[in-house]
Each structure stands twice: as C-alpha cells, then as structure tokens.
Amino acid sequence: ESGPTYTKTSVRFVNVGGPNNERRGARGKLSTDSLVVSGDENSYWNQQEADQVIALLKKLLTEKSAVEGEGPPTIGVVTPYNGQVELIKSLISSDRELKDLTDNLAEPIEVKSVDGYQGRERDVIIFSAVGSNRQAKVGFLSDWRRMNVALTRARSALLVIGDFETLSVGDKH
C-alpha cells in the first residue's frame, strides 16, 4: 500500500514584533566616502528581522545539536523581497564572527528571494517574512503558490521570522 511520505521537518516561528518594522524603497548604507543608495525602490526590507536572521545563523553554526547528521547543516535564507535579500547578504558579509563560522562550510549559505529558491532545498531554511505594518498588509505573502515554494524548501528545519500581529491578521480575503 503506498501513501504519502512524510518527513520529519521541525517548524518554529520567531516573532519579531512591529508594529511597523518594514521599510520600503532603497536602503542607504554608509561607505567610507559617502552615503550609497542601494536596492530596489519598490522593494521592502526589515532590519529587525535581518538582525534576527544573523543571530539564528550564528546559533545554528555553533550548536552541534541544531540538526541531526554529520557536519554542519546546509542553510538557506528565503525572503519575498530583493531589498531583504540585499540587506541580509550585506550583514552576513560584514559580520566577522559569522564569516569565520561560514568559511569552512561545504555549501555556502544561500540567500535568495522566493522566486530564486524554486526547485532548491537545504537542511535548514530561515524564512524572513518582512511584513510588519499597522495596516496588516502582507502583500507578496498572500500568493499561496509563492508561499508554497518558500515553506517547502527545508529538509529538516524551517524557521519562520515575522511579525505575528501582521501575519495573523493580514490581507484576509
């Protein structure tokens, strides 16, 4: 008798409350000379969630029992917005401690938008929802096909980072 095969994937939600942490538009960053504007003018980003992603990455890479199996887990970070992808990549590359932890990984940590993650898998997926606003608008997250891609890329563990208030109320049809 054949039926569906279920895997043991642990799911955790990390609440990074708002109520207004998301930002829209280009993100300014300081360089040695001046303020450099980067990012998509129409994209969104959330600094509080990005900081939480960095903390979770460090924890995953330092705790031996984080994921069963040999060696460190393969890790992916998925988020709906290119602005958040850029911010997280920037934080990873500028964090000395995290850089030291990731130097010897067999597979580098992948940070991609939901669309960029189609067809890919990792042991651990960290999903940064970004949306955190007083209007409880979830935008991109209301597309169930994209959410399916985002939430089914993890082999062992899925960590969802978001604003519980926005995500639990948002965009109900």
Side-chain angles (χ1 to χ4, degrees):
E1 183 178 320
S2 70
T5 304
Y6 298 100
T7 59
K8 285 174 59 177
T9 301
S10 177
V11 179
R12 298 285 183 265
F13 181 79
V14 179
N15 185 28
V16 179
N20 210 23
N21 288 338
E22 76 182 38
R23 298 288 179 260
R24 181 178 183 171
R27 185 176 50 83
K29 61 184 176 185
L30 291 174
S31 74
T32 51
D33 325 297
S34 61
L35 184 68
V36 177
V37 177
S38 69
D40 180 349
E41 292 290 334
N42 296 314
S43 193
Y44 291 87
W45 51 279
N46 183 320
Q47 182 73 49
Q48 290 78 3
E49 285 187 22
D51 291 341
Q52 185 65 55
V53 167
I54 299 304
L56 285 171
L57 288 172
K58 289 178 183 177
K59 189 171 181 133
L60 283 168
L61 294 169
T62 54
E63 286 188 7
K64 300 293 182 218
S65 63
V67 174
E68 294 176 25
E70 296 296 318
T74 58
I75 302 171
V77 180
V78 183
T79 184
Y81 300 103
N82 288 328
Q84 191 74 346
V85 168
E86 284 188 27
L87 175 58
I88 292 168
K89 283 182 174 180
S90 167
L91 291 174
I92 288 172
S93 67
S94 65
D95 189 296
R96 184 71 151 162
E97 180 187 353
L98 189 54
K99 187 163 173 21
D100 290 345
L101 290 169
T102 59
D103 275 347
N104 297 321
L105 291 179
E107 291 188 52
I109 295 170
E110 269 190 340
V111 182
K112 294 188 177 291
S113 68
V114 172
D115 292 338
Y117 237 95
Q118 187 119 15
R120 306 176 83 76
E121 283 188 333
R122 289 286 191 249
D123 296 327
V124 177
I125 290 291
I126 300 173
F127 177 71
S128 175
V130 179
S132 173
N133 57 72
R134 289 185 174 85
Q135 300 79 32
K137 298 270 187 215
V138 296
F140 186 109
L141 304 179
S142 63
D143 182 338
W144 68 268
R145 291 164 301 213
R146 285 180 160 162
M147 286 307 299
N148 181 55
V149 169
L151 301 178
T152 59
R153 306 296 97 194
R155 291 185 201 116
S156 301
L158 170 65
L159 303 165
V160 178
I161 301 173
D163 176 7
F164 180 77
E165 235 177 281
T166 299
L167 297 176
S168 64
V169 178
D171 286 3
K172 291 193 176 176
H173 301 297

Short mmCIF file of all heavy atoms in Angstrom, two decimals, residues 25-88:
data_model
loop_
_atom_site.label_atom_id
_atom_site.label_comp_id
_atom_site.label_asym_id
_atom_site.label_seq_id
_atom_site.Cartn_x
_atom_site.Cartn_y
_atom_site.Cartn_z
N GLY A 25 11.60 50.82 -0.27
CA GLY A 25 12.48 51.67 -1.06
C GLY A 25 13.94 51.35 -0.86
O GLY A 25 14.30 50.41 -0.18
N ALA A 26 14.75 52.15 -1.48
CA ALA A 26 16.19 51.94 -1.44
C ALA A 26 16.69 52.14 -0.01
O ALA A 26 16.21 52.98 0.72
CB ALA A 26 16.90 52.90 -2.39
N ARG A 27 17.66 51.34 0.35
CA ARG A 27 18.24 51.40 1.67
C ARG A 27 19.59 52.09 1.57
O ARG A 27 20.44 51.67 0.81
CB ARG A 27 18.41 49.96 2.18
CG ARG A 27 18.89 49.83 3.59
CD ARG A 27 18.92 48.36 3.98
NE ARG A 27 19.61 47.53 3.02
CZ ARG A 27 20.92 47.36 2.99
NH1 ARG A 27 21.70 47.97 3.85
NH2 ARG A 27 21.48 46.58 2.08
N GLY A 28 19.78 53.15 2.33
CA GLY A 28 21.06 53.85 2.32
C GLY A 28 22.05 53.11 3.20
O GLY A 28 21.68 52.55 4.22
N LYS A 29 23.29 53.05 2.78
CA LYS A 29 24.32 52.44 3.63
C LYS A 29 25.56 53.31 3.57
O LYS A 29 25.87 53.89 2.53
CB LYS A 29 24.60 51.00 3.23
CG LYS A 29 25.11 50.83 1.82
CD LYS A 29 25.28 49.36 1.50
CE LYS A 29 25.71 49.22 0.04
NZ LYS A 29 25.79 47.87 -0.38
N LEU A 30 26.22 53.39 4.69
CA LEU A 30 27.41 54.24 4.74
C LEU A 30 28.60 53.51 4.15
O LEU A 30 28.83 52.34 4.42
CB LEU A 30 27.71 54.61 6.19
CG LEU A 30 26.71 55.55 6.84
CD1 LEU A 30 27.05 55.74 8.32
CD2 LEU A 30 26.71 56.90 6.14
N SER A 31 29.32 54.18 3.32
CA SER A 31 30.58 53.65 2.82
C SER A 31 31.68 54.55 3.39
O SER A 31 31.39 55.51 4.09
CB SER A 31 30.60 53.62 1.30
OG SER A 31 30.76 54.93 0.81
N THR A 32 32.91 54.29 3.04
CA THR A 32 33.99 55.12 3.56
C THR A 32 33.92 56.55 3.03
O THR A 32 34.34 57.48 3.70
CB THR A 32 35.36 54.51 3.21
OG1 THR A 32 35.38 54.24 1.80
CG2 THR A 32 35.60 53.25 3.99
N ASP A 33 33.37 56.74 1.82
CA ASP A 33 33.32 58.08 1.24
C ASP A 33 32.01 58.81 1.55
O ASP A 33 32.01 59.97 1.91
CB ASP A 33 33.46 58.05 -0.29
CG ASP A 33 34.39 56.97 -0.77
OD1 ASP A 33 35.58 57.05 -0.44
OD2 ASP A 33 33.90 56.06 -1.46
N SER A 34 30.89 58.14 1.32
CA SER A 34 29.62 58.85 1.40
C SER A 34 28.47 57.86 1.57
O SER A 34 28.68 56.67 1.71
CB SER A 34 29.42 59.64 0.10
OG SER A 34 29.38 58.73 -0.99
N LEU A 35 27.29 58.39 1.54
CA LEU A 35 26.09 57.55 1.62
C LEU A 35 25.83 56.94 0.25
O LEU A 35 25.73 57.64 -0.74
CB LEU A 35 24.89 58.39 2.07
CG LEU A 35 23.59 57.63 2.28
CD1 LEU A 35 23.73 56.72 3.50
CD2 LEU A 35 22.45 58.60 2.51
N VAL A 36 25.74 55.62 0.20
CA VAL A 36 25.48 54.93 -1.05
C VAL A 36 24.07 54.39 -0.99
O VAL A 36 23.68 53.73 -0.04
CB VAL A 36 26.47 53.75 -1.24
CG1 VAL A 36 26.15 52.98 -2.51
CG2 VAL A 36 27.90 54.26 -1.25
N VAL A 37 23.28 54.70 -2.00
CA VAL A 37 21.91 54.21 -2.04
C VAL A 37 21.90 52.93 -2.86
O VAL A 37 22.43 52.88 -3.96
CB VAL A 37 20.96 55.25 -2.65
CG1 VAL A 37 19.56 54.69 -2.75
CG2 VAL A 37 20.97 56.52 -1.82
N SER A 38 21.32 51.90 -2.28
CA SER A 38 21.25 50.63 -3.00
C SER A 38 19.85 50.07 -2.86
O SER A 38 19.08 50.48 -2.02
CB SER A 38 22.26 49.64 -2.42
OG SER A 38 21.86 49.26 -1.13
N GLY A 39 19.55 49.10 -3.68
CA GLY A 39 18.29 48.39 -3.55
C GLY A 39 17.25 48.86 -4.53
O GLY A 39 17.38 49.87 -5.20
N ASP A 40 16.19 48.11 -4.57
CA ASP A 40 15.06 48.34 -5.45
C ASP A 40 14.13 49.35 -4.78
O ASP A 40 13.71 49.15 -3.64
CB ASP A 40 14.37 46.99 -5.66
CG ASP A 40 13.16 47.05 -6.55
OD1 ASP A 40 12.69 48.16 -6.87
OD2 ASP A 40 12.67 45.97 -6.91
N GLU A 41 13.79 50.40 -5.49
CA GLU A 41 12.92 51.44 -4.94
C GLU A 41 11.55 50.90 -4.51
O GLU A 41 10.89 51.46 -3.66
CB GLU A 41 12.70 52.56 -5.97
CG GLU A 41 13.94 53.36 -6.28
CD GLU A 41 14.40 54.25 -5.14
OE1 GLU A 41 13.57 54.65 -4.29
OE2 GLU A 41 15.60 54.54 -5.08
N ASN A 42 11.11 49.81 -5.13
CA ASN A 42 9.78 49.26 -4.83
C ASN A 42 9.82 48.05 -3.93
O ASN A 42 8.82 47.39 -3.74
CB ASN A 42 9.06 48.90 -6.14
CG ASN A 42 8.82 50.14 -6.98
OD1 ASN A 42 8.37 51.16 -6.47
ND2 ASN A 42 9.15 50.06 -8.25
N SER A 43 10.98 47.71 -3.42
CA SER A 43 11.11 46.53 -2.58
C SER A 43 10.94 46.90 -1.10
O SER A 43 10.86 48.07 -0.74
CB SER A 43 12.47 45.87 -2.80
OG SER A 43 12.49 44.59 -2.22
N TYR A 44 10.87 45.90 -0.26
CA TYR A 44 10.74 46.09 1.18
C TYR A 44 11.89 45.42 1.89
O TYR A 44 12.47 44.46 1.40
CB TYR A 44 9.42 45.47 1.67
CG TYR A 44 8.20 46.21 1.21
CD1 TYR A 44 7.61 45.91 -0.01
CD2 TYR A 44 7.62 47.19 1.99
CE1 TYR A 44 6.47 46.57 -0.45
CE2 TYR A 44 6.49 47.88 1.56
CZ TYR A 44 5.93 47.56 0.35
OH TYR A 44 4.81 48.22 -0.08
N TRP A 45 12.18 45.91 3.10
CA TRP A 45 13.20 45.32 3.94
C TRP A 45 12.84 45.56 5.40
O TRP A 45 12.02 46.42 5.72
CB TRP A 45 14.58 45.85 3.60
CG TRP A 45 14.71 47.35 3.54
CD1 TRP A 45 14.36 48.16 2.49
CD2 TRP A 45 15.20 48.21 4.57
NE1 TRP A 45 14.61 49.47 2.81
CE2 TRP A 45 15.12 49.54 4.08
CE3 TRP A 45 15.70 48.01 5.85
CZ2 TRP A 45 15.53 50.63 4.83
CZ3 TRP A 45 16.11 49.10 6.59
CH2 TRP A 45 16.02 50.39 6.07
N ASN A 46 13.41 44.75 6.28
CA ASN A 46 13.08 44.81 7.70
C ASN A 46 14.35 44.54 8.49
O ASN A 46 14.81 43.39 8.56
CB ASN A 46 12.00 43.75 7.99
CG ASN A 46 11.51 43.76 9.42
OD1 ASN A 46 12.29 43.92 10.35
ND2 ASN A 46 10.23 43.54 9.58
N GLN A 47 14.94 45.58 9.05
CA GLN A 47 16.22 45.47 9.76
C GLN A 47 16.13 44.54 10.97
O GLN A 47 17.04 43.75 11.21
CB GLN A 47 16.68 46.87 10.21
CG GLN A 47 18.02 46.88 10.92
CD GLN A 47 19.18 46.64 9.98
OE1 GLN A 47 19.27 47.28 8.94
NE2 GLN A 47 20.07 45.71 10.32
N GLN A 48 15.04 44.62 11.73
CA GLN A 48 14.90 43.79 12.92
C GLN A 48 14.91 42.31 12.56
O GLN A 48 15.54 41.50 13.24
CB GLN A 48 13.63 44.17 13.70
CG GLN A 48 13.69 45.52 14.37
CD GLN A 48 13.49 46.71 13.42
OE1 GLN A 48 13.24 46.56 12.22
NE2 GLN A 48 13.62 47.91 13.94
N GLU A 49 14.21 41.95 11.49
CA GLU A 49 14.21 40.55 11.06
C GLU A 49 15.58 40.14 10.53
O GLU A 49 16.04 39.03 10.79
CB GLU A 49 13.15 40.31 9.98
CG GLU A 49 11.75 40.25 10.54
CD GLU A 49 10.72 39.83 9.50
OE1 GLU A 49 11.09 39.19 8.48
OE2 GLU A 49 9.54 40.14 9.71
N ALA A 50 16.24 41.02 9.79
CA ALA A 50 17.57 40.71 9.26
C ALA A 50 18.55 40.46 10.41
O ALA A 50 19.36 39.52 10.36
CB ALA A 50 18.06 41.84 8.36
N ASP A 51 18.47 41.27 11.46
CA ASP A 51 19.33 41.07 12.63
C ASP A 51 19.04 39.71 13.28
O ASP A 51 19.95 39.01 13.73
CB ASP A 51 19.13 42.19 13.65
CG ASP A 51 19.66 43.54 13.16
OD1 ASP A 51 20.48 43.57 12.23
OD2 ASP A 51 19.22 44.57 13.71
N GLN A 52 17.78 39.33 13.33
CA GLN A 52 17.39 38.04 13.90
C GLN A 52 17.92 36.89 13.05
O GLN A 52 18.34 35.86 13.57
CB GLN A 52 15.87 37.95 14.03
CG GLN A 52 15.38 36.70 14.74
CD GLN A 52 15.81 36.64 16.19
OE1 GLN A 52 15.56 37.55 16.96
NE2 GLN A 52 16.48 35.57 16.57
N VAL A 53 17.90 37.05 11.73
CA VAL A 53 18.45 36.02 10.83
C VAL A 53 19.93 35.80 11.16
O VAL A 53 20.39 34.67 11.28
CB VAL A 53 18.29 36.42 9.34
CG1 VAL A 53 19.13 35.53 8.43
CG2 VAL A 53 16.82 36.37 8.93
N ILE A 54 20.68 36.88 11.32
CA ILE A 54 22.11 36.78 11.63
C ILE A 54 22.31 36.04 12.95
O ILE A 54 23.16 35.15 13.06
CB ILE A 54 22.78 38.17 11.66
CG1 ILE A 54 22.67 38.86 10.29
CG2 ILE A 54 24.24 38.07 12.12
CD1 ILE A 54 23.23 38.08 9.12
N ALA A 55 21.53 36.38 13.97
CA ALA A 55 21.64 35.71 15.27
C ALA A 55 21.33 34.22 15.14
O ALA A 55 22.03 33.38 15.73
CB ALA A 55 20.69 36.38 16.27
N LEU A 56 20.30 33.87 14.38
CA LEU A 56 19.95 32.46 14.19
C LEU A 56 21.03 31.71 13.42
O LEU A 56 21.34 30.55 13.74
CB LEU A 56 18.61 32.33 13.47
CG LEU A 56 17.38 32.62 14.32
CD1 LEU A 56 16.13 32.67 13.44
CD2 LEU A 56 17.21 31.57 15.41
N LEU A 57 21.61 32.34 12.42
CA LEU A 57 22.69 31.70 11.67
C LEU A 57 23.86 31.36 12.59
O LEU A 57 24.41 30.26 12.54
CB LEU A 57 23.16 32.59 10.52
CG LEU A 57 22.20 32.72 9.33
CD1 LEU A 57 22.70 33.79 8.37
CD2 LEU A 57 22.04 31.39 8.62
N LYS A 58 24.23 32.31 13.43
CA LYS A 58 25.33 32.07 14.37
C LYS A 58 25.00 30.91 15.31
O LYS A 58 25.83 30.05 15.57
CB LYS A 58 25.63 33.33 15.18
CG LYS A 58 26.28 34.42 14.37
CD LYS A 58 26.49 35.66 15.23
CE LYS A 58 27.07 36.80 14.45
NZ LYS A 58 27.21 38.02 15.25
N LYS A 59 23.77 30.90 15.80
CA LYS A 59 23.34 29.83 16.71
C LYS A 59 23.36 28.47 16.01
O LYS A 59 23.86 27.49 16.56
CB LYS A 59 21.95 30.15 17.25
CG LYS A 59 21.50 29.23 18.34
CD LYS A 59 20.22 29.75 18.97
CE LYS A 59 19.83 28.81 20.08
NZ LYS A 59 19.48 29.48 21.30
N LEU A 60 22.84 28.41 14.79
CA LEU A 60 22.83 27.16 14.03
C LEU A 60 24.24 26.63 13.78
O LEU A 60 24.47 25.42 13.81
CB LEU A 60 22.13 27.35 12.69
CG LEU A 60 20.62 27.41 12.70
CD1 LEU A 60 20.10 27.90 11.35
CD2 LEU A 60 20.03 26.05 13.03
N LEU A 61 25.16 27.53 13.51
CA LEU A 61 26.52 27.11 13.16
C LEU A 61 27.40 26.83 14.38
O LEU A 61 28.46 26.23 14.23
CB LEU A 61 27.17 28.16 12.26
CG LEU A 61 26.51 28.29 10.89
CD1 LEU A 61 27.03 29.51 10.16
CD2 LEU A 61 26.71 27.03 10.07
N THR A 62 26.97 27.24 15.57
CA THR A 62 27.77 26.97 16.76
C THR A 62 27.21 25.84 17.61
O THR A 62 27.94 25.21 18.35
CB THR A 62 27.92 28.22 17.65
OG1 THR A 62 26.63 28.73 17.96
CG2 THR A 62 28.73 29.29 16.96
N GLU A 63 25.92 25.55 17.48
CA GLU A 63 25.32 24.45 18.26
C GLU A 63 25.40 23.16 17.47
O GLU A 63 24.85 23.04 16.39
CB GLU A 63 23.85 24.76 18.58
CG GLU A 63 23.69 25.80 19.64
CD GLU A 63 22.24 25.95 20.09
OE1 GLU A 63 21.38 25.15 19.67
OE2 GLU A 63 21.99 26.86 20.87
N LYS A 64 26.08 22.18 18.05
CA LYS A 64 26.29 20.91 17.36
C LYS A 64 24.98 20.14 17.16
O LYS A 64 24.83 19.40 16.23
CB LYS A 64 27.27 20.03 18.14
CG LYS A 64 28.63 20.67 18.31
CD LYS A 64 29.35 20.80 17.01
CE LYS A 64 30.72 21.40 17.20
NZ LYS A 64 31.13 22.29 16.19
N SER A 65 24.03 20.32 18.06
CA SER A 65 22.79 19.54 18.00
C SER A 65 21.68 20.23 17.22
O SER A 65 20.55 19.79 17.26
CB SER A 65 22.31 19.25 19.43
OG SER A 65 22.01 20.47 20.08
N ALA A 66 22.00 21.30 16.52
CA ALA A 66 20.97 22.04 15.81
C ALA A 66 20.23 21.18 14.79
O ALA A 66 19.03 21.25 14.65
CB ALA A 66 21.56 23.27 15.13
N VAL A 67 20.95 20.34 14.06
CA VAL A 67 20.35 19.47 13.06
C VAL A 67 21.05 18.12 13.14
O VAL A 67 22.27 18.05 13.26
CB VAL A 67 20.53 20.05 11.63
CG1 VAL A 67 20.03 19.08 10.58
CG2 VAL A 67 19.79 21.36 11.51
N GLU A 68 20.27 17.06 13.06
CA GLU A 68 20.84 15.72 13.08
C GLU A 68 21.69 15.50 11.84
O GLU A 68 21.42 16.04 10.78
CB GLU A 68 19.72 14.68 13.12
CG GLU A 68 18.91 14.71 14.38
CD GLU A 68 17.75 13.72 14.34
OE1 GLU A 68 17.84 12.72 13.60
OE2 GLU A 68 16.77 13.97 15.04
N GLY A 69 22.69 14.65 11.97
CA GLY A 69 23.51 14.31 10.81
C GLY A 69 24.95 14.71 11.00
O GLY A 69 25.35 15.21 12.03
N GLU A 70 25.72 14.44 9.98
CA GLU A 70 27.14 14.72 10.01
C GLU A 70 27.43 16.14 9.54
O GLU A 70 26.87 16.59 8.56
CB GLU A 70 27.88 13.72 9.11
CG GLU A 70 27.76 12.28 9.57
CD GLU A 70 28.42 12.05 10.91
OE1 GLU A 70 29.51 12.58 11.15
OE2 GLU A 70 27.82 11.34 11.72
N GLY A 71 28.33 16.79 10.23
CA GLY A 71 28.77 18.12 9.81
C GLY A 71 27.68 19.17 9.95
O GLY A 71 26.55 18.88 10.33
N PRO A 72 28.03 20.41 9.64
CA PRO A 72 27.05 21.49 9.75
C PRO A 72 25.95 21.34 8.69
O PRO A 72 26.19 20.79 7.62
CB PRO A 72 27.87 22.75 9.53
CG PRO A 72 29.13 22.31 8.89
CD PRO A 72 29.34 20.88 9.22
N PRO A 73 24.76 21.82 9.01
CA PRO A 73 23.66 21.70 8.05
C PRO A 73 23.85 22.65 6.87
O PRO A 73 24.55 23.65 6.97
CB PRO A 73 22.44 22.15 8.88
CG PRO A 73 23.02 23.09 9.90
CD PRO A 73 24.39 22.54 10.22
N THR A 74 23.22 22.30 5.75
CA THR A 74 23.15 23.26 4.66
C THR A 74 22.03 24.23 5.01
O THR A 74 20.99 23.82 5.52
CB THR A 74 22.89 22.58 3.31
OG1 THR A 74 21.68 21.84 3.38
CG2 THR A 74 24.04 21.67 2.92
N ILE A 75 22.27 25.50 4.78
CA ILE A 75 21.33 26.53 5.24
C ILE A 75 20.97 27.45 4.09
O ILE A 75 21.84 27.88 3.33
CB ILE A 75 21.94 27.36 6.39
CG1 ILE A 75 22.32 26.46 7.57
CG2 ILE A 75 20.96 28.45 6.84
CD1 ILE A 75 23.12 27.16 8.64
N GLY A 76 19.70 27.78 4.02
CA GLY A 76 19.22 28.75 3.06
C GLY A 76 18.37 29.80 3.75
O GLY A 76 17.69 29.49 4.73
N VAL A 77 18.45 31.00 3.27
CA VAL A 77 17.61 32.08 3.78
C VAL A 77 16.73 32.52 2.61
O VAL A 77 17.23 32.82 1.53
CB VAL A 77 18.45 33.28 4.29
CG1 VAL A 77 17.54 34.39 4.80
CG2 VAL A 77 19.42 32.82 5.38
N VAL A 78 15.42 32.51 2.85
CA VAL A 78 14.45 32.84 1.81
C VAL A 78 13.60 34.01 2.29
O VAL A 78 13.20 34.05 3.47
CB VAL A 78 13.53 31.64 1.51
CG1 VAL A 78 12.57 31.96 0.38
CG2 VAL A 78 14.34 30.40 1.18
N THR A 79 13.34 34.94 1.41
CA THR A 79 12.53 36.10 1.75
C THR A 79 11.82 36.59 0.50
O THR A 79 12.32 36.39 -0.61
CB THR A 79 13.41 37.20 2.39
OG1 THR A 79 12.58 38.28 2.80
CG2 THR A 79 14.50 37.67 1.46
N PRO A 80 10.64 37.18 0.63
CA PRO A 80 9.90 37.59 -0.55
C PRO A 80 10.49 38.78 -1.31
O PRO A 80 10.16 38.97 -2.47
CB PRO A 80 8.52 37.96 -0.02
CG PRO A 80 8.50 37.67 1.41
CD PRO A 80 9.88 37.33 1.85
N TYR A 81 11.32 39.58 -0.67
CA TYR A 81 11.72 40.86 -1.26
C TYR A 81 13.22 40.96 -1.50
O TYR A 81 14.03 40.62 -0.63
CB TYR A 81 11.27 42.01 -0.37
CG TYR A 81 9.78 42.04 -0.18
CD1 TYR A 81 9.20 41.57 0.99
CD2 TYR A 81 8.95 42.48 -1.21
CE1 TYR A 81 7.82 41.57 1.16
CE2 TYR A 81 7.57 42.48 -1.06
CZ TYR A 81 7.01 42.02 0.13
OH TYR A 81 5.65 42.01 0.28
N ASN A 82 13.59 41.49 -2.67
CA ASN A 82 15.00 41.67 -3.00
C ASN A 82 15.70 42.64 -2.05
O ASN A 82 16.89 42.49 -1.78
CB ASN A 82 15.15 42.16 -4.44
CG ASN A 82 14.84 41.06 -5.43
OD1 ASN A 82 15.09 39.89 -5.17
ND2 ASN A 82 14.29 41.43 -6.57
N GLY A 83 14.98 43.62 -1.52
CA GLY A 83 15.57 44.53 -0.55
C GLY A 83 16.05 43.79 0.69
O GLY A 83 17.12 44.09 1.23
N GLN A 84 15.29 42.80 1.13
CA GLN A 84 15.68 42.00 2.30
C GLN A 84 16.83 41.06 1.95
O GLN A 84 17.73 40.85 2.76
CB GLN A 84 14.47 41.21 2.84
CG GLN A 84 14.71 40.56 4.18
CD GLN A 84 14.71 41.52 5.35
OE1 GLN A 84 14.79 42.73 5.20
NE2 GLN A 84 14.63 40.98 6.55
N VAL A 85 16.83 40.51 0.74
CA VAL A 85 17.95 39.67 0.29
C VAL A 85 19.24 40.48 0.37
O VAL A 85 20.24 40.03 0.93
CB VAL A 85 17.72 39.16 -1.16
CG1 VAL A 85 18.99 38.54 -1.72
CG2 VAL A 85 16.57 38.16 -1.22
N GLU A 86 19.23 41.69 -0.19
CA GLU A 86 20.42 42.54 -0.18
C GLU A 86 20.88 42.87 1.23
O GLU A 86 22.08 42.85 1.52
CB GLU A 86 20.15 43.84 -0.94
CG GLU A 86 20.17 43.69 -2.42
CD GLU A 86 20.10 45.06 -3.12
OE1 GLU A 86 20.54 46.06 -2.52
OE2 GLU A 86 19.60 45.09 -4.24
N LEU A 87 19.91 43.21 2.09
CA LEU A 87 20.26 43.57 3.47
C LEU A 87 20.90 42.39 4.19
O LEU A 87 21.94 42.53 4.84
CB LEU A 87 19.01 44.04 4.23
CG LEU A 87 19.18 44.34 5.71
CD1 LEU A 87 20.25 45.40 5.95
CD2 LEU A 87 17.85 44.77 6.33
N ILE A 88 20.31 41.20 4.08
CA ILE A 88 20.86 40.02 4.78
C ILE A 88 22.23 39.66 4.23
O ILE A 88 23.16 39.38 4.99
CB ILE A 88 19.87 38.84 4.70
CG1 ILE A 88 18.62 39.16 5.54
CG2 ILE A 88 20.52 37.55 5.18
CD1 ILE A 88 17.45 38.23 5.33
#
